[in-house]
Amino acid sequence: MSDADVPDERHDAPDRGLVGAEHLHAMLPFLGEAVYLYDRDGDLKARLSPPNGILGYGVEVGTNVFAHMHPDDVPRGIQIGDEARSAHHGWSGEVHVRLRHADGTWRRCVLRIHNRTGDPEIAGMVVFIAMLLTLIVRPNGLFGDKLRKKV
């Protein structure tokens, strides 16, 4: 058997690694976290989130995470933000906080902050906000997940 007779998997298999813009747009409502890019002054430069935002307030509302943060968690949120701004390029940190969803419930979330001020393409802070899930073991032994809604 020659090399010509052996199928080349790179050409015969469908491309599963890349997603086109049309696919990305269709997947946005199912996004479980939001990504924000802030410049060095703290102004929002870009965001990637579900159409109604991760907290359900819509795109125009919720760019300031402290407006929706539980009052007891605000000091920790401010502290990590200050650490990120004063840190060197490459610094990363995270904090767990409660954020109020548009439906009035509190959601446990994790904020991950990455200082990318030394990267000329980003030149700022990348902030990921993700809701935490609670793992449920059902009576039949199967696993499921459920958003935490109560604090």
Side-chain angles (χ1 to χ4, degrees):
M1 183 187 260
S2 72
D3 287 343
D5 297 329
V6 177
D8 185 350
E9 293 179 22
R10 293 174 296 173
H11 298 291
D12 294 339
D15 182 5
R16 292 185 178 95
L18 300 177
V19 176
E22 69 279 2
H23 295 113
L24 181 60
H25 182 71
M27 293 175 355
L28 281 177
F30 304 100
L31 192 62
E33 63 182 57
V35 183
Y36 299 90
L37 175 59
Y38 294 93
D39 65 16
R40 289 183 174 104
D41 298 323
D43 294 325
L44 184 66
K45 290 173 56 176
R47 75 184 265 167
L48 178 62
S49 67
N52 283 333
I54 193 166
L55 296 174
Y57 293 102
V59 174
E60 71 283 351
V61 181
T63 56
N64 182 349
V65 70
F66 296 110
H68 306 292
M69 192 175 291
H70 191 283
D72 293 344
D73 297 338
V74 169
R76 288 184 294 119
I78 291 172
Q79 179 183 358
I80 197 164
D82 290 345
E83 284 179 41
R85 281 188 292 282
S86 64
H88 59 84
H89 169 77
W91 178 93
S92 293
E94 73 176 42
V95 64
H96 292 241
V97 296
R98 293 162 287 183
L99 299 175
R100 185 177 294 278
H101 192 273
D103 67 8
T105 60
W106 290 101
R107 306 288 174 95
R108 291 194 180 273
C109 299
V110 60
L111 279 62
R112 292 185 189 96
I113 303 174
H114 303 275
N115 181 323
R116 305 297 299 167
T117 53
D119 183 335
E121 291 184 22
I122 296 176
M125 302 289 171
V126 178
V127 179
F128 294 88
I129 300 175
M131 281 192 252
L132 298 175
L133 300 174
T134 302
L135 187 63
I136 300 169
V137 180
R138 297 189 176 118
N140 61 5
L142 298 176
F143 293 96
D145 57 11
K146 175 182 170 185
L147 286 172
R148 292 183 182 173
K149 292 189 178 185
K150 295 186 179 180
V151 176

